Amino acid sequence: MAKKVAFLQGNEAAAHGAIYAGCKFFGGYPITPSTEVAEVMSAELPKVGGKFIQMEDEIGAMAAVIGASLTGVKVLTATSGPGLSLKQENIGYACITEVPCVIIDVMRGGPSTGMPTGPSQSDIMCAKWGTHGDHATIALMPASVQECFEMTVKAFNLAEKYRVPVFVMPDEIVGHMRERIEFPEPGELEVIDRAAPTVPPEQYKPYDTQFGDVPPLAAFGSDYRFHVTGLNKMADGFPTTKLLSFRPRKSARCARLKQTRTKSWSGKSSCVMTQT
């Protein structure tokens, strides 16, 4: 049976990749050259029982996807340049609270407003260094429209597996050029869902490494209740001033990510995992 094909922009392909991966929520704010991602998600999410919301700004958009992810769904936002700068504080919040989310950043010329319709690759520096503090970063950089689809699926898998924000970072040329794309059949590409708790609510701790390097993440609205804070925290999520209680967990996660710091993808693009 012949596969379904289409003639799509990279941005459109990335949005369809998010749907394939099981994304059920998009929170964003339109910004060139990433707006087509939001346009496709606004049309496709209602078809699969998902929700789309345009927030008042990029700060609110990042906050919205963090909140939605904590309810147990896969989430996406899309931005570029100045919008990525505005998202950085909440990206850091997602890092320390270990909330999985995917950020599509279609890179344009800068700094500031720069060249909204021109290409650049300098946002990769923001992906690695944009937030303050020390945390690992996963960034995937597609070089074709087909890879925009496939790497977005990969990004969701990495976010759900490791409980981290993951970037998909085509530049403006890849985001806006059109190419023939083949849609994979359901089940052809691996789709990973986050692990659910296996203990009763009274025994659950969201950051307890006795359940593994990446503890299961319970969904808000279920019978599980837990504390979420941007402060240094203990296994139960409540703040602590004892740095050593947090460092062993962070070191283990960073070591795990660094095992595959750089991978090739189709011989052209790269999946980069870095520790700041």
Side-chain angles (χ1 to χ4, degrees):
M1 181 177 177
K3 289 185 177 180
K4 179 183 176 181
V5 299
F7 191 57
L8 297 178
Q9 288 185 346
N11 287 344
E12 295 168 336
H16 285 286
I19 298 295
Y20 184 96
C23 178
K24 289 294 190 292
F25 181 87
F26 180 95
Y29 186 81
I31 182 171
T32 303
S34 73
T35 305
E36 293 84 1
V37 178
E39 291 174 347
V40 173
M41 295 302 286
S42 69
E44 296 299 321
L45 274 173
K47 300 177 184 178
V48 295
K51 302 294 183 183
F52 173 94
I53 184 170
Q54 178 176 315
M55 297 298 290
E56 72 277 8
D57 56 33
E58 300 279 6
I59 301 170
M62 194 65 212
V65 299
I66 292 172
S69 182
L70 286 170
T71 70
V73 300
K74 295 181 180 180
V75 300
L76 174 69
T77 190
T79 191
S80 180
L84 182 61
S85 297
L86 289 170
K87 289 184 185 292
Q88 289 295 348
E89 182 177 2
N90 277 332
I91 291 173
Y93 186 85
C95 289
I96 197 169
T97 55
E98 300 176 30
V99 175
C101 53
V102 174
I103 303 154
I104 295 177
D105 177 68
V106 187
M107 296 182 285
R108 74 191 218 186
S112 188
T113 307
M115 189 180 295
T117 57
S120 177
Q121 296 81 34
S122 58
D123 281 6
I124 191 63
M125 300 300 291
C126 292
K128 183 176 182 181
W129 305 110
T131 66
H132 63 282
D134 181 16
H135 63 82
T137 295
I138 303 178
L140 288 72
M141 288 145 283
S144 69
V145 174
Q146 187 75 45
E147 286 188 347
C148 284
F149 183 102
E150 294 172 359
M151 284 196 172
T152 302
V153 177
K154 181 77 169 179
F156 276 95
N157 289 343
L158 291 168
E160 298 293 313
K161 182 177 181 178
Y162 294 113
R163 282 183 59 177
V164 292
V166 176
F167 294 89
V168 180
M169 307 186 74
D171 66 16
E172 183 275 335
I173 291 177
V174 176
H176 278 158
M177 73 178 178
R178 291 186 179 272
E179 291 182 333
R180 179 182 184 272
I181 178 176
E182 291 187 354
F183 288 99
E185 297 295 329
E188 183 176 343
L189 298 183
E190 181 183 26
V191 173
I192 296 175
D193 296 320
R194 70 187 66 169
T198 57
V199 298
E202 61 271 16
Q203 297 179 18
Y204 176 69
K205 294 181 179 179
Y207 305 102
D208 192 343
T209 53
Q210 71 169 323
F211 300 117
D213 286 342
V214 184
L217 180 60
F220 276 18
S222 65
D223 292 334
Y224 292 83
R225 299 178 63 185
F226 57 96
H227 190 72
V228 179
T229 177
L231 292 168
N232 188 34
K233 57 194 174 299
M234 300 179 291
D236 61 5
F238 283 91
T240 179
T241 57
K242 298 178 180 179
L243 284 175
L244 290 179
S245 67
F246 178 69
R247 281 179 177 168
R249 168 163 172 70
K250 187 175 83 169
S251 298
R253 294 180 72 247
C254 288
R256 184 178 64 256
L257 290 176
K258 287 170 67 179
Q259 288 176 359
T260 51
R261 174 167 290 192
T262 303
K263 297 181 180 179
S264 64
W265 184 280
S266 301
K268 297 178 290 184
S269 305
S270 59
C271 168
V272 180
M273 303 184 182
T274 63
Q275 180 187 1
T276 57

